[in-house]
Amino acid sequence: MVSVVLAVLAAAASAVAAVLQRKAASTESRRRAAGPGLLLDLACKPVWLGGVAAIVVGFGLHAAALATGPIILVQPILVLELGFALLFAAAVFHSRLHTREWTAIAGMTVGLALLLFSLHPSGGDPGTASAAAWAVGIAITLAVAGLFGWRAHRSPDSPRTTARRPAYLGIATGLGFGLTATLVAAVSSALTDRGITGVLTTWQTYLLVVLGPLVFFSLQRTLQAGRLVVSQPAITLTNPVVAFGFGVGIFGEDVRTGAWLIGALAGFALVAGCTVALARSPLLHDAPVARADRGGPPSV
């Protein structure tokens, strides 16, 4: 229960960060965003700095959750970020959620509960994984993320490819988040086993220091590239897939199999469908909404 509570709080903090950063990033021109000054421009915006502070809080909660529970349990819970983001955006912009959005939030919660109950993840230890297994997992994840990132940047400018670009970047960013989560799990395990000495002597700490800022910059590019209706489902759903692969294949975590997998797949399908439905909310993308026509605050 400690891991679940910490993961839920981490999802809420990440939702605050996503809304604030989306608001800041949406004001940057795409031509400017391609240059190295993107982060410098965003750093001048108080709302973006507030988002960064929320990221720091969320990271601490996330690390604590991974230190107390299996990654297959923790990472799927983070999909609740999207529902929290809608609630936060509605409060900030004095709007309200419609029946479709409340239904999708409820459906996502039920689907997540079904997924985790069916899998019932337990056990596993990142500290016991072999170096070879780590190398294979990291290489595959980075290769797939690099492929989608390359497709996003190499696609010619056209309405069709422009619509796909946020999805490509979202997949790459989601893979990056999933990979950094596995590194955080390893560092947390080292901290639990050997204290600060373990953190300073494990190689995952230094790889996390390198990859963390790169994934963070990828997130900024993704948020700026297009509407969240395209990028957010890709980020949200790719992350737990990476966690599942590492948890079962590398960390040795146990999950139910057999007929239980039917329930797990049904839960994941419900989460995926509700994620797409929530991402279509006017509160999360730039499409005009009725309240803006009435002089209300713009959507993020």
Side-chain angles (χ1 to χ4, degrees):
M1 284 301 298
V2 173
S3 299
V4 172
V5 171
L6 290 171
V8 170
L9 292 175
S14 297
V16 173
V19 172
L20 295 180
Q21 289 186 59
R22 175 58 184 167
K23 182 176 181 180
S26 63
T27 62
E28 294 293 320
S29 68
R30 292 178 183 176
R31 181 168 55 186
R32 175 61 173 163
L38 173 60
L39 292 181
L40 292 178
D41 288 348
L42 291 173
C44 297
K45 301 176 183 293
V47 66
W48 186 82
L49 293 176
V52 173
I55 285 180
V56 173
V57 173
F59 179 82
L61 292 168
H62 187 195
L66 289 171
T68 55
I71 193 172
I72 299 178
L73 171 66
V74 172
Q75 289 306 108
I77 294 176
L78 297 185
V79 304
L80 295 177
E81 173 190 335
L82 194 53
F84 283 127
L86 278 171
L87 295 173
F88 176 70
V92 168
F93 296 108
H94 307 289
S95 184
R96 65 184 182 87
L97 300 182
H98 300 294
T99 302
R100 181 187 66 180
E101 293 158 331
W102 282 114
T103 301
I105 291 175
M108 175 181 285
T109 305
V110 172
L112 179 62
L114 177 59
L115 172 66
L116 294 179
F117 177 78
S118 298
L119 291 178
H120 193 64
S122 62
D125 184 0
T128 62
S130 67
W134 270 105
V136 171
I138 292 173
I140 293 175
T141 305
L142 290 178
V144 176
L147 175 62
F148 279 100
W150 176 81
R151 285 295 303 274
H153 290 290
R154 296 292 295 177
S155 298
D157 289 328
S158 69
R160 185 175 182 180
T161 55
T162 299
R164 291 178 180 176
R165 191 170 292 137
Y168 291 150
L169 289 173
I171 293 173
T173 301
L175 289 168
F177 277 132
L179 180 56
T180 56
T182 66
L183 297 175
V184 171
V187 174
S188 298
S189 176
L191 177 63
T192 302
D193 294 340
R194 292 172 286 151
I196 190 64
T197 301
V199 174
L200 296 176
T201 56
T202 185
W203 59 267
Q204 287 93 341
T205 299
Y206 302 98
L207 183 57
L208 181 62
V209 170
V210 174
L211 288 181
L214 295 177
V215 176
F216 179 73
F217 181 75
S218 177
L219 174 62
Q220 306 310 311
R221 291 287 293 115
T222 303
L223 293 174
Q224 192 278 331
R227 298 183 302 167
L228 285 181
V229 68
V230 179
S231 61
Q232 190 64 48
I235 296 173
T236 301
L237 298 176
T238 305
N239 188 330
V241 171
V242 176
F244 184 87
F246 271 83
V248 173
I250 297 178
F251 298 166
E253 296 178 2
D254 297 319
V255 295
R256 288 169 169 169
T257 57
W260 289 106
L261 292 179
I262 299 176
L265 291 174
F268 183 80
L270 184 56
V271 169
C274 292
T275 297
V276 174
L278 288 177
R280 294 181 180 276
S281 171
L283 285 171
L284 289 184
H285 61 77
D286 299 326
V289 291
R291 69 182 187 284
D293 296 337
R294 295 194 300 267
S299 61
V300 295

